[in-house]
Amino acid sequence: DSLLVEIVISVFCVLASINFILYHYVVTGKASYLLKDIELRVFIIIMVLATLVCTLGLVLQSDNSFGEALRESFFQVVSMATTSGYTRSPYIIWPTVCQFTLLTLMFIGGCAASTSGSIKVIRVIVLFKLIWRGCIKRMHPRSVVAVKVGGNAISAPVVSQITVFILLYMMIFLMSSFLMSFQGLDMETTITATLAMLSNTGAAFGEAAALGNFSMFHPLIKIYLSALMIIGRLELFTIIILFTRNFW
């Protein structure tokens, strides 16, 4: 129950979730790259908007004052967005809009080339730009529309790799949630526990959050959850390739 401790933890969680290449630019006297980096700007915007949504939800649907709601929301949003997994309040009893916001942050994660897990902000940016390009191509079939990030066009192979990664991530998430359902727990616990492992957040909802651990799961499921943590940490493809014939 220390505001100073929470601020220190939050600041370093955010610093660890920023692309480490940007630190190289700062050290070499190119700090202006920080302001130009679209991923960093989007990452900050996402956390600010999520904090405002959670603060508003807590103020309107609970007895929290604005200051208390802002403090709790900021810390929990930073924790989920950076996939750090810290908690300071019982977020499982927060309003549904707050829980949904935190769940979305667990899917997105932090920036590329950082210590954070999950899909990463840059991939989400490219995904939305790809969807927008699809809309433009529907209206103007003969147009040539490049997917650009920060004013630079991204090559088709890179866009393809990002698309495949996101599809693979969702496929593993759905398949793992199905396997977890054999435990017989409620939907909330099953889905969020799977995401908590795959994203390396470690903070779930439902019974896992109520107990504060994953002890209720069957030993075989615990082994699978351990594998999910490794897969999520190694960005999926590293592990998937190990099971292909061409690799061997």
Side-chain angles (χ1 to χ4, degrees):
D1 189 24
S2 170
L3 179 60
L4 175 61
V5 171
E6 293 168 22
I7 292 175
V8 172
I9 291 176
S10 300
V11 168
F12 278 93
C13 284
V14 173
L15 292 176
S17 298
I18 296 173
N19 192 321
F20 278 22
I21 296 176
L22 295 179
Y23 293 122
H24 171 72
Y25 289 139
V26 173
V27 173
T28 55
K30 301 177 182 177
S32 60
Y33 279 79
L34 287 173
L35 300 176
K36 297 178 181 178
D37 189 73
I38 183 67
E39 184 182 28
L40 177 58
R41 283 186 288 172
V42 172
F43 182 49
I44 293 175
I45 290 173
I46 288 174
M47 287 192 292
V48 170
L49 292 178
T51 300
L52 292 177
V53 170
C54 290
T55 300
L56 186 61
L58 288 175
V59 170
L60 294 179
Q61 301 185 37
S62 67
D63 297 329
N64 294 76
S65 65
F66 180 80
E68 293 174 345
L70 179 61
R71 176 180 174 181
E72 292 188 5
S73 299
F74 173 72
F75 185 82
Q76 201 60 54
V77 162
V78 168
S79 175
M80 294 302 192
T82 60
T83 66
S84 302
Y86 290 111
T87 60
R88 72 164 301 276
S89 60
Y91 61 91
I92 56 174
I93 62 174
W94 282 13
T96 303
V97 63
C98 299
Q99 294 189 31
F100 182 80
T101 301
L102 297 178
L103 193 66
T104 303
L105 295 174
M106 291 171 66
F107 269 110
I108 298 173
C111 301
S114 71
T115 63
S116 64
S118 209
I119 294 176
K120 304 291 174 51
V121 175
I122 189 63
R123 293 193 179 103
V124 175
I125 293 173
V126 172
L127 177 63
F128 276 97
K129 286 182 175 290
L130 195 60
I131 293 173
W132 177 248
R133 186 181 73 168
C135 295
I136 298 297
K137 293 286 286 184
R138 284 282 184 177
M139 295 184 288
H140 308 285
R142 295 186 179 183
S143 63
V144 178
V145 184
V147 176
K148 294 184 178 181
V149 174
N152 299 315
I154 301 179
S155 64
V158 174
V159 173
S160 177
Q161 290 175 11
I162 292 174
T163 304
V164 170
F165 178 90
I166 295 176
L167 290 174
L168 180 61
Y169 193 95
M170 296 307 299
M171 184 185 74
I172 293 176
F173 169 70
L174 292 174
M175 181 189 71
S176 299
S177 298
F178 171 74
L179 293 176
M180 292 277 289
S181 65
F182 284 99
Q183 177 76 31
L185 299 174
D186 59 277
M187 182 72 74
E188 182 183 25
T189 303
T190 300
I191 290 178
T192 59
T194 302
L195 182 58
M197 299 297 99
L198 188 58
S199 66
N200 285 169
T201 305
F205 294 80
E207 292 187 33
L211 290 177
N213 56 61
F214 295 81
S215 60
M216 84 288 289
F217 290 105
H218 188 275
L220 291 178
I221 292 184
K222 289 179 183 177
I223 294 175
Y224 185 75
L225 290 176
S226 302
L228 274 184
M229 285 189 280
I230 296 174
I231 293 173
R233 184 71 275 172
L234 297 179
E235 297 264 310
L236 307 186
F237 287 111
T238 306
I239 298 297
I240 299 299
I241 289 174
L242 293 177
F243 296 94
T244 61
R245 182 179 179 181
N246 291 337
F247 174 81
W248 296 101

